[in-house]
Every structure is written in C-alpha cells, then in structure tokens.
Amino acid sequence: MKTIAKQLNIFMEPGQEYVPISKRACYLKEGDVNVLQIDCRNVFNFSFDNRSDVRMAVLLLSNDKAAKAAEIARAFQLHRNSVRNIIDRYGDGGLGSIHEAKRGPKGPTKARAAVRRRIIAMKQAGLSNAVIAQRLSIHERTVRRVVPAQGAALVEATGPTQTALRGAGFETTPVAGAQVTGAL
C-alpha cells in the first residue's frame, strides 16, 4: 500500500491507512476520522458513523468525476444502486434531499394543554367528537383520547356551557333544550 501512496505522491502521517478509490481519489483512515482526497488534495473529512458524511463524500467523488459509481460503492461498502440513488436525489432536490428524513410522526403526538382545555369546553357544551375535531383541525381520535382521560370532569356536565366555549375562543349560539348528562 505504501508504494501506491508514493506513486500518487500522497503525504501520509504515521498511523494513517491509505484506501484507494480510483486513479484520482482515495481516503486516508486515522481512527474514526477519514480524509477524502481528490487529485492529492484534502477535500473532505468524514466519519463512516455519520451517513450524511458518507453521502456527501459520494457526491464529491461523483461531481468531480473522480470515480465511477462502482468504484465509489466498493470503497464505501455500498451497493452501486445506493450510490446512484444518492446522486439522483441530489440532482432532484439539492443537498437537503440527501440527508435522511425523520421517520415516524412528523408533528407532536400529544394534544397540548390549550387544545385539551378547548376540547373539554366544547365537549361540556354538548358538541360531538367529529364537530370538535373539525373545528380544531385535529383528528377525531385525538378528541376521543382526551375525553376519557378527563372522565370525571365531563360526567355531570349539564347544558351548553356558553361561557366555557367563549373562554376557549369560539362564537356560540344557544341550542334550545340541549343538555348533556351521564358518562361519555
């Protein structure tokens, strides 16, 4: 390996390992830090533990035409289709598209205190779960989760609580004879 490094005129510190990628590119390994070199110039420091770093190194090699997709795949222990996918994603959406998107729920998973108060006030006023969900722009399942959790507060609610709704920020019109009793 040292002979290849000398032929390519690569300066190596003691303890570094030379890993060839192509005729124009290599990376030097030193512990957790790797230095990508293209045409004997240090281009990028990266870690194999960070997927975004690896993707950036793939893009640098590809954009400089320093290595073919198969060479990049071999050096970074990726499938050549993965290399092509990284390059294609960059072409479609820029640098932001090569980073991993968050998996799972994108928003909050619990109803905030203000939303819970509004749900309770609307439920005490006799509105259905579907109507509450529509007015608050939330899923009906969220309303169902909040209502049983409040249990005792809603069991003996009687009549439309107009002041509670107004306090929650809603315009109300009285409904003649509306009364909610019993467990929900």
Side-chain angles (χ1 to χ4, degrees):
M1 293 257 186
K2 288 187 178 184
T3 57
I4 296 173
K6 286 181 181 179
Q7 288 175 351
L8 294 175
N9 197 21
I10 295 173
F11 177 73
M12 289 184 12
E13 297 284 330
Q16 286 183 328
E17 181 184 343
Y18 169 78
V19 180
I21 298 172
S22 69
K23 290 181 181 177
R24 293 183 50 211
C26 69
Y27 67 87
L28 302 175
K29 271 180 137 176
E30 185 175 348
D32 290 342
V33 178
N34 302 292
V35 180
L36 179 64
Q37 290 188 338
I38 299 176
D39 294 329
C40 299
R41 290 175 297 146
N42 291 350
V43 177
F44 184 62
N45 293 343
F46 68 97
S47 169
F48 277 105
D49 296 335
N50 188 337
R51 288 183 173 173
S52 293
D53 281 0
V54 172
R55 290 180 179 138
M56 188 66 188
V58 166
L59 285 176
L60 289 168
L61 288 165
S62 172
N63 284 345
D64 279 348
K65 299 197 184 332
K68 297 176 183 173
E71 294 170 326
I72 297 170
R74 192 175 320 110
F76 291 99
Q77 298 175 357
L78 299 170
H79 193 277
R80 67 177 181 271
N81 290 347
S82 297
V83 172
R84 293 288 350 144
N85 289 340
I86 293 168
I87 295 166
D88 292 344
R89 269 193 284 171
Y90 172 72
D92 292 342
L95 277 179
S97 65
I98 67 164
H99 301 292
E100 261 183 34
K102 179 185 173 200
R103 294 180 181 209
K106 306 297 186 260
T109 56
K110 290 186 177 180
R112 293 195 171 104
V115 173
R116 286 194 305 270
R117 283 193 301 271
R118 292 175 86 181
I119 290 171
I120 293 165
M122 294 171 83
K123 199 63 181 173
Q124 286 175 339
L127 298 175
S128 70
N129 291 352
V131 171
I132 295 171
Q134 183 180 12
R135 287 191 183 175
L136 296 178
S137 300
I138 58 176
H139 199 278
E140 188 177 348
R141 193 175 311 134
T142 303
V143 177
R144 275 184 276 164
R145 273 195 305 258
V146 170
V147 170
Q150 300 306 317
L154 298 175
V155 170
E156 289 301 320
T158 59
T161 312
Q162 304 298 321
T163 54
L165 282 173
R166 278 190 226 104
F170 290 97
E171 292 296 321
T172 60
T173 53
V175 178
Q179 190 171 14
V180 178
T181 58
L184 298 175

